[in-house]
Amino acid sequence: MEFKNIFFSRQNINSLVRKGLFVPTFLSALIFIAIAVVLLVKSIPILSMYPITDLLFSSIWKPMSGDFGFLPFIMGTLWVTILSMIICIPISLFCALYLSEYAPKRVQITIQPFIDLLAGIPSVVYGLFGIILIVPLIRDSIAPFFNITSSGYTVLSGGIVLAIMVFPILISVSFEVFQAVPFDMREASLSCGATNWEMVKHVVITAGYPGLIAALILGFSRAFGETMAVLMVVGNVPIIPQSVFDPAYPIPALIANNYGEMMSIPMYDSALMFAAFILLIVVIAFTVLSKYMLIRIKARLGS
Amino acid sequence: MNVRIMEEKIVKIIMYLSIAIVLGSLLLVFSMVILKGIDFLNFDMITKVPDGGYYLGKGGGILNAIVGSLYLAGGAIILATIVSIPISWYLNQSNKKSKFTEFVRLSLDVSCGIPSLIYGAFVFLFLVSFHQRAALIWGIVTVAIFIIPILVRAMDEIMQTVNRDLKEASYSLGATEFETLKNVITRQAMPGIVGAIILAFGRGIGDAAAVLFTAGYTDNIPNSLFDPVATLPLAIFFQISSPYPEVQGRAYASGIILIIIVLLLIVISRIVSKRLMKYVIR
């Protein structure tokens, strides 16, 4: 035991923790950089063979004959993501506003676990839901209403399913932003004779503005990378969608669907890794931007 | 004056509508999957592995996927916890409020936002270059890498909220920084840590995309770490892609099983956190 005490004295263990943990901590911080570098290295073959503008702006995708145009996938991702944000943003904001500003404490406490629950459901389940309800609904009711024949596997279905998935994230982040607005500011506004909504509009939303943007960006990047649920309902046809009733083929679906054969066709693996790289860069950019906004709002609200 | 009150009322209606849409969609997601799947749910599903031709509508169950998911997520959560706790200790040393820790926190946040699919692709590239075959162990590694950032950030946030006075009391009794971290801060943060671990476990179980490339798929329960393994989300995905209505029905039934597992985890995490709360000094 004496032996142990010399080497593993309390002070030694302490300094071991202090210095020794630097390495794993540093490594964990480098995970995403490592991923970016590896993906980039893997996409060098295709980048050196085709000019990047061809890859990004060509719409012909025929890996067998060596045509790698990512435009359909980029556009597919944008269509689905933007549509889901259009559906999701207003609903989530009003929800968060209600929970934060209007709801009695008891309602707040009851609804919150449900929102958490919504966040915890695996995306495959949302995909199932899309297949059961959304796809037939679009095929049998919504598309015929506009005199369009559609299989139901469309941008619209992907957008709706994704919107439902992103609700909880957007609601809980924007709820926190609203809660961070100091109560003095609200009271000052109310005592000037503003109605509750005027107070919310002019004080809460204005003060929370950067935080809201951050919340939206977080939701957006979550939507952007979502795989399974969207893959199941969006049709996966590599064309550029012309309307919400067209099928689409988002980038994550492209990667997930084709990893099986990507080793058998020349350049295919490189092309898919380049797709993953595009996805990664967009997500990193969005997260850093939203973090920057959140830091700014914290500074502004002085907390 | 009237216009202002009208506006207030309209906004309130919009808010009620939004709440109704969100809660309604939750209810719909649950009820639809359950209604569709309940007829196909039977005892075989959770007690048998698929027979030959299961995906053509023949007998068997999805025990392989249920057990596989538990192995995978369980292994990953153990690995991730072992790595995450020391990292959050490092971030919470009292003199470590530096540019470095801020950088680590930011990059972990970025890592949290990366789609799990990309983690899968990343590990897959390693498998290919080292000529490894997709197996349980690589699935565990993939899921662990993907939940470590989530776990560290969650634990870190919880440890930061531990009462300062307690730390100072610990130091003033002569405890070293490590002893304070281990015996005071970790213990105080325990309810939150356990909650975070269980929720991350749920993420691991529910995520299909991460292990798509790295865990393989099999109709058997893996015997060793180097066997391929099936997961529940992937089983659902394969069953729903089948043209047979019978098999599609089983996908919904598997969905019910997945929902039940995740719900159980959420309930357990709440109960355990509450239990541990009584040791926490506020």
Side-chain angles (χ1 to χ4, degrees):
Chain A
M1 282 300 113
E2 276 307 307
F3 173 78
K4 195 182 166 198
N5 278 341
I6 298 168
F7 291 100
F8 293 102
S9 70
R10 295 165 55 215
Q11 298 306 325
N12 276 357
I13 289 179
N14 190 47
S15 61
L16 196 75
V17 169
R18 176 170 284 196
K19 299 198 185 82
L21 289 184
F22 174 80
V23 177
T25 309
F26 191 56
L27 286 181
S28 74
L30 291 185
I31 290 178
F32 82 94
I33 297 171
I35 294 179
V37 169
V38 169
L39 291 181
L40 185 62
V41 167
K42 273 284 166 181
S43 34
I44 282 175
I46 195 158
L47 285 173
S48 57
M49 232 169 116
Y50 305 91
I52 189 160
T53 46
D54 276 16
L55 289 174
L56 292 180
F57 299 114
S58 154
S59 59
I60 304 163
W61 178 262
K62 283 192 186 112
M64 295 299 254
S65 47
D67 289 319
F68 296 99
F70 282 99
L71 195 60
F73 306 101
I74 295 170
M75 292 308 286
T77 309
L78 286 180
W79 269 86
V80 173
T81 310
I82 290 172
L83 181 66
S84 80
M85 295 324 275
I86 291 173
I87 301 171
C88 187
I89 289 173
I91 294 179
S92 322
L93 283 190
F94 277 111
C95 244
L97 275 178
Y98 174 77
L99 286 179
S100 154
E101 308 300 321
Y102 284 80
K105 200 86 209 159
R106 200 144 37 91
V107 177
Q108 221 181 68
I109 292 170
T110 343
I111 291 186
Q112 210 122 65
F114 283 101
I115 308 274
D116 292 345
L117 188 65
L118 206 55
I121 299 178
S123 62
V124 178
V125 173
Y126 287 100
L128 286 180
F129 164 73
I131 292 178
I132 299 171
L133 189 72
I134 309 290
V135 169
L137 193 69
I138 289 171
R139 184 184 56 215
D140 303 331
S141 320
I142 300 179
F145 183 77
F146 292 99
N147 277 327
I148 297 167
T149 30
S150 163
S151 64
Y153 291 91
T154 56
V155 171
L156 185 58
S157 348
I160 292 174
V161 170
L162 203 51
I164 297 178
M165 291 184 62
V166 184
F167 277 149
I169 305 168
L170 273 190
I171 292 174
S172 57
V173 184
S174 37
F175 176 76
E176 270 168 35
V177 170
F178 293 139
Q179 291 282 298
V181 176
F183 270 83
D184 304 356
M185 283 167 79
R186 295 166 214 239
E187 274 158 16
S189 163
L190 287 177
S191 65
C192 290
T195 63
N196 216 338
W197 169 245
E198 283 167 337
M199 181 274 285
V200 168
K201 194 166 59 175
H202 295 301
V203 177
V204 179
I205 295 182
T206 314
Y209 185 66
L212 280 184
I213 302 286
L216 300 188
I217 296 170
L218 274 184
F220 193 79
S221 74
R222 171 84 191 256
F224 204 76
E226 188 42 58
T227 321
M228 269 355 221
V230 174
L231 174 74
M232 289 161 83
V233 296
V234 85
N236 298 331
V237 183
I239 56 164
I240 299 174
Q242 304 297 327
S243 83
V244 293
F245 294 108
D246 281 343
Y249 207 158
I251 297 174
L254 168 75
I255 304 168
N257 270 336
N258 294 297
Y259 80 99
E261 61 254 40
M262 74 181 183
M263 289 300 155
S264 48
I265 302 167
M267 303 302 279
Y268 205 13
D269 58 333
S270 188
L272 290 185
M273 291 308 139
F274 181 58
F277 183 71
I278 298 175
L279 201 60
L280 182 67
I281 293 303
V282 173
V283 169
I284 291 176
F286 278 143
T287 319
V288 172
L289 192 65
S290 81
K291 278 285 142 191
Y292 170 74
M293 295 293 239
L294 279 177
I295 291 169
R296 253 187 49 187
I297 187 178
K298 278 199 181 137
R300 186 202 278 205
L301 295 177
S303 58
Chain B
M1 192 64 193
N2 234 345
V3 181
R4 294 173 57 199
I5 292 169
M6 277 288 280
E7 194 181 327
E8 176 91 30
K9 278 190 174 149
I10 293 172
V11 166
K12 264 195 156 170
I13 293 171
I14 298 177
M15 283 176 178
Y16 287 133
L17 273 179
S18 312
I19 285 276
I21 291 174
V22 170
L23 292 183
S25 52
L26 172 70
L27 207 67
L28 265 182
V29 170
F30 275 117
S31 56
M32 277 296 162
V33 174
I34 290 172
L35 279 179
K36 267 280 205 182
I38 197 82
D39 292 339
F40 294 91
L41 194 62
N42 56 41
F43 208 56
D44 274 5
M45 284 197 76
I46 51 171
T47 52
K48 284 186 182 161
V49 298
D51 288 344
Y54 178 75
Y55 295 100
L56 303 171
K58 296 213 180 112
I62 50 156
L63 183 66
N64 61 327
I66 298 174
V67 176
S69 276
L70 292 176
Y71 279 174
L72 193 73
I77 206 73
I78 293 170
L79 192 62
T81 308
I82 293 172
V83 180
S84 300
I85 288 189
I87 294 178
S88 35
W89 278 345
Y90 184 86
L91 290 176
N92 278 285
Q93 291 177 70
S94 58
N95 60 345
K96 287 283 183 214
K97 265 231 178 293
S98 57
K99 280 244 154 64
F100 175 70
T101 56
E102 286 313 301
F103 161 73
V104 172
R105 290 194 173 109
L106 175 66
S107 51
L108 287 175
D109 282 338
V110 173
S111 305
C112 287
I114 298 176
S116 56
L117 180 75
I118 290 184
Y119 286 98
F122 174 67
V123 176
F124 177 71
L125 288 176
F126 275 94
L127 296 193
V128 171
S129 34
F130 292 107
H131 302 289
Q132 294 288 326
R133 177 168 80 89
L136 174 58
I137 177 129
W138 307 122
I140 290 178
V141 169
T142 314
V143 177
I145 299 180
F146 140 71
I147 53 184
I148 284 171
I150 303 173
L151 264 185
V152 174
R153 283 299 280 137
M155 291 178 181
D156 177 35
E157 291 286 339
I158 299 158
M159 287 185 186
Q160 281 182 31
T161 61
V162 171
N163 200 332
R164 248 193 87 148
D165 297 349
L166 278 173
K167 298 180 210 170
E168 275 162 15
S170 167
Y171 291 136
S172 66
L173 289 172
T176 63
E177 206 150 52
F178 171 66
E179 285 163 344
T180 309
L181 280 167
K182 180 167 67 94
N183 298 332
V184 178
I185 298 183
T186 309
R187 207 162 286 184
Q188 288 296 306
M190 215 28 137
I193 291 177
V194 170
I197 290 175
I198 296 176
L199 289 183
F201 188 69
R203 284 284 291 268
I205 280 202
D207 200 279
V211 295
L212 198 58
F213 314 105
T214 53
Y217 195 84
T218 170
D219 283 351
N220 302 312
I221 294 170
N223 290 317
S224 85
L225 279 175
F226 292 93
D227 285 343
V229 64
T231 62
L232 207 42
L234 271 187
I236 294 174
F237 185 62
F238 290 142
Q239 291 176 83
I240 198 76
S241 324
S242 153
Y244 300 90
E246 166 75 19
V247 182
Q248 287 184 4
R250 287 178 187 161
Y252 302 125
S254 318
I256 299 179
I257 297 175
L258 186 56
I259 290 179
I260 292 174
I261 294 178
V262 172
L263 283 185
L264 272 181
L265 285 174
I266 293 174
V267 171
I268 292 173
S269 88
R270 286 192 174 249
I271 293 174
V272 174
S273 296
K274 222 169 232 165
R275 275 272 171 93
L276 290 168
M277 267 319 244
K278 64 180 173 197
Y279 303 112
V280 174
I281 305 159
R282 287 188 172 277

